[in-house]
Amino acid sequence: MKILLISIGTRGDIEPFIAIAEILKANNHEVVCAFPEQFRQLTESLGISFHALTPEFLNLLHSKDGEVVMGGGKNLFEKAVSFIRLAKQGMKVNKVMMVEQQTITSFVQPDLIIHHNKAVYPLYSAVMDHIPQKIVSPVPYIVHRIKGYPHLGFPKSILGINIEKLSYKIANFGLLSFVHSWAKKLKNREKVDKKALKKCLKETPLIYTISPTLFSGEVAENSPVKVLGYHEKSGQSDMEESPALLKFVDQHKKVMLITFGSMTNPWPEKITRLFCQTLEGLQIPAIINTAYGGLIKLEDYKSDHIHFEENLNYHKILPKIYAFIHHGGSGTTHLGIKYGCATMIIPHIVDQFMWNQLISEKGAGPIGIKINKLNYKRLNAKVKDLWTNSTYKTKAHELSKEMQKEDLKNELIEALLK
């Protein structure tokens, strides 16, 4: 088969699709990927055909307004203004990407489209051009209802009223309205019927690339949802560790790792100093991974307890880590538990709040603090609890053992191609 994979978002949204592309290619299918331009090198280095989507989506996330929305503004007004500006620009970018997806699909002529839920052109092509499509998601609680959990973007109740079931309907209405309104502006194309779009979405298979060990909620017997494990691209262990990092780890019996991955915020220096003050006060040896700039290296800060790194190979360092504090992306959360790390999440946006709650419910760590609510008193208490409460580490090891048993590659291939 000729299979087109389309995904939009940060690295955590793209890497599951690269892993799937490798699996399908190894099974002799012709695979083409359409991701934002920033992921060209990562994809092509694996010998996978690549078509670029505009880089502006990721650029928006790392803009000043993106930092405020993801990291939390100083006040509600500031955050609202940034959100409105970001939403306006985001709508423009989404429309550009819809046209790009249309152009790429027309060029590739795929037998099947596998796509992220943010990439919605395949819904249109499924109705109008009868190209089969399936949704793959690294985060749960979207499109099709999971009993016990509202749609990812909603609370379970508003003013005491349970809106779990309604939340999926509202979110899907918004998605379909966008596709319908965009499609009306296409030249030389028939208008798409909204009822046909709705029926298509209702019947669309949805595959969660999430470990069943970490997944919570009840999937109905007749649901088109399957939970088929966390999958990684190849070459994850290739990057070598620096000698200074290895020396730091060898010097300490227990080590904590802190990173915000691709998440940014308006106050990276302030938050980094807050962590350093907390770690120093508790005498906790820790590695701070600066990554995309949500945390930064403090050139004037010298301590035997703190080691700064710009980029890390999680697969090599996490087996040596006792406790892991991070932003709560799906991939990072899976890796922390896969390697048995006691975990605390500092959520920034959307699904990270869900992973924060889930890790706490699973017993692998305390409930974390929202990025814009961090202060010394709160952080000190939480970090101390994470470091000294051995039950978190024990539970993380138990979950790790369960994850290690999972082998769902064949089930994933079957679900994708069925």
Side-chain angles (χ1 to χ4, degrees):
M1 295 176 69
K2 183 184 284 186
I3 304 170
L4 175 61
L5 282 73
I6 309 176
S7 186
I8 299 164
T10 61
R11 191 170 180 129
D13 296 298
I14 306 301
E15 287 208 352
F17 283 81
I18 295 178
I20 288 172
E22 289 191 290
I23 292 170
L24 293 173
K25 185 180 177 184
N27 281 267
N28 300 314
H29 298 283
E30 184 180 349
V31 180
V32 180
C33 290
F35 306 144
E37 173 64 35
Q38 288 94 330
F39 299 99
R40 176 186 292 277
Q41 194 278 330
L42 181 65
T43 307
E44 291 184 339
S45 67
L46 298 169
I48 298 168
S49 181
F50 180 84
H51 286 268
L53 299 173
T54 177
E56 287 307 306
F57 181 85
L58 278 178
N59 291 343
L60 278 177
L61 293 183
H62 293 112
S63 67
K64 289 296 181 184
D65 285 327
E67 288 179 1
V68 170
V69 171
M70 289 194 294
K74 295 177 182 176
N75 55 60
L76 186 60
F77 176 76
E78 179 190 41
K79 189 168 184 177
V81 170
S82 289
F83 181 83
I84 291 169
R85 284 199 295 250
L86 203 66
K88 285 182 178 179
Q89 291 299 314
M91 286 296 288
K92 293 178 183 178
V93 172
N94 274 331
K95 289 175 181 177
V96 169
M97 286 194 292
M98 286 284 279
V99 173
E100 290 174 335
Q101 291 169 54
Q102 180 191 25
T103 302
I104 293 167
T105 301
S106 178
F107 177 79
V108 173
Q109 292 290 301
D111 302 309
L112 169 67
I113 302 177
I114 298 169
H115 64 101
H116 195 287
N117 62 294
K118 293 175 190 170
V120 293
Y121 174 76
L123 290 171
Y124 175 86
S125 64
V127 174
M128 301 302 292
D129 304 320
H130 308 293
I131 301 176
Q133 50 91 39
K134 296 183 179 181
I135 299 173
V136 167
S137 177
V139 297
Y141 318 131
I142 58 167
V143 183
H144 303 303
R145 184 187 175 197
I146 300 297
K147 196 171 182 182
Y149 287 83
H151 186 280
L152 189 61
F154 291 79
K156 188 161 187 176
S157 64
I158 295 178
L159 299 176
I161 301 172
N162 189 311
I163 65 160
E164 179 187 310
K165 190 174 182 180
L166 180 62
S167 65
Y168 290 89
K169 292 183 178 180
I170 295 171
N172 290 344
F173 175 80
L175 184 154
L176 294 172
S177 295
F178 171 75
V179 177
H180 187 254
S181 64
W182 170 85
K184 287 192 294 186
K185 298 174 184 177
L186 285 176
K187 294 179 180 179
N188 304 320
R189 293 302 305 261
E190 296 178 29
K191 292 181 180 179
V192 64
D193 180 68
K194 203 166 186 178
K195 288 184 179 179
L197 274 177
K198 184 176 181 180
K199 182 175 184 293
C200 177
L201 183 63
K202 184 178 180 180
E203 295 173 352
T204 295
L206 170 57
I207 297 166
Y208 286 132
T209 51
I210 297 171
S211 164
T213 300
L214 294 186
F215 187 84
S216 290
E218 181 182 336
V219 179
E221 191 174 337
N222 60 346
S223 172
V225 172
K226 292 185 182 296
V227 183
L228 295 177
Y230 173 66
H231 303 271
E232 300 176 74
K233 70 178 185 64
S234 62
Q236 294 284 41
S237 299
D238 292 347
M239 187 171 65
E240 293 299 322
E241 299 161 291
S242 70
L245 175 64
L246 293 174
K247 181 180 178 181
F248 180 82
V249 173
D250 288 343
Q251 287 175 339
H252 302 283
K253 186 178 179 181
K254 288 169 61 179
V255 178
M256 182 177 286
L257 172 60
I258 303 165
T259 184
F260 288 164
S262 58
M263 294 292 104
T264 55
N265 63 77
W267 331 277
E269 181 178 350
K270 175 185 173 183
I271 290 177
T272 306
R273 290 191 184 279
L274 179 60
F275 269 105
C276 288
Q277 181 186 5
T278 301
L279 295 165
E280 197 69 52
L282 294 170
Q283 296 290 286
I284 297 174
I287 301 161
I288 296 179
N289 181 35
T290 57
Y292 280 72
L295 298 163
I296 63 171
K297 183 177 181 179
L298 302 176
E299 298 294 346
D300 63 340
Y301 194 88
K302 305 297 179 185
S303 169
D304 292 336
H305 288 94
I306 312 294
H307 176 83
F308 291 97
E309 283 282 328
E310 186 177 352
N311 202 4
L312 283 175
N313 186 324
Y314 287 156
H315 293 268
K316 287 190 174 181
I317 194 64
L318 284 175
K320 305 169 186 177
I321 296 299
Y322 177 86
F324 191 18
I325 297 177
H326 60 85
H327 57 292
S330 176
T332 312
T333 302
H334 275 85
L335 284 176
I337 298 303
K338 176 181 177 179
Y339 291 109
C341 299
T343 299
M344 185 173 79
I345 290 172
I346 306 295
H348 292 56
I349 54 171
V350 197
D351 63 298
Q352 296 167 11
F353 292 93
M354 178 278 300
W355 289 116
N356 183 28
Q357 187 66 41
L358 186 145
I359 287 297
S360 175
E361 289 174 358
K362 296 287 185 181
I367 194 78
I369 310 162
K370 186 179 177 182
I371 181 68
N372 65 339
K373 298 294 184 183
L374 285 174
N375 62 35
Y376 178 77
K377 184 177 180 181
R378 289 176 182 144
L379 186 61
N380 188 75
K382 292 288 185 178
V383 171
K384 183 178 180 180
D385 184 29
L386 179 67
W387 189 248
T388 60
N389 189 336
S390 62
T391 59
Y392 298 140
K393 187 69 171 178
T394 300
K395 188 60 182 179
H397 272 302
E398 291 174 4
L399 294 171
S400 173
K401 288 179 181 178
E402 291 302 310
M403 280 187 67
Q404 302 289 351
K405 295 176 186 176
E406 296 171 6
D407 182 10
L408 297 167
K409 187 177 290 186
N410 291 335
E411 287 86 344
L412 176 66
I413 295 171
E414 182 182 355
L416 290 169
L417 303 180
K418 185 177 179 180

